[in-house]
Amino acid sequence: VTRNDTEALTVNIESPVNGMVDLGAYYTQTSTPVAGASDLNMKEFTLSAGKTIGALDATLAYIYTDADDQNNAQDYNSIQAYLTLNF
């Protein structure tokens, strides 16, 4: 997204659900021109769920990525977990 002349689109949706968890859905799409070659394209979709328990923030995220310049241009999935202690 930070490369020169990149065109990007992003859509974010976040919402608390019954005061229990915070859910999020995020979509990003980019296209970057490359001199003498095809454009570099990237699409990424993320779903997240988070909960705050006292001073602890916990978030679980599923990420689907399809990028021309990553993972030999093969799409891939990842799951990430974040624990943050606020003090």
Side-chain angles (χ1 to χ4, degrees):
V1 177
T2 59
R3 293 178 180 155
N4 289 337
D5 298 323
T6 295
E7 293 181 6
L9 167 74
T10 186
V11 177
N12 300 330
I13 300 170
E14 298 175 334
S15 178
V17 177
N18 293 331
M20 298 289 292
V21 296
D22 294 324
L23 297 180
Y26 312 91
Y27 177 77
T28 301
Q29 176 177 312
T30 66
S31 181
T32 305
V34 177
S38 299
D39 290 356
L40 285 177
N41 297 304
M42 186 274 299
K43 294 178 185 172
E44 187 169 86
F45 178 70
T46 303
L47 294 174
S48 70
K51 175 78 175 160
T52 298
I53 305 165
L56 182 66
D57 293 336
T59 303
L60 185 63
Y62 161 76
I63 305 166
Y64 166 81
T65 304
D66 183 5
D68 293 342
D69 61 345
Q70 297 177 25
N71 198 40
N72 295 319
Q74 298 295 312
D75 60 333
Y76 60 97
N77 302 289
S78 58
I79 295 176
Q80 298 178 0
Y82 302 92
L83 295 174
T84 305
L85 181 61
N86 301 300
F87 59 95

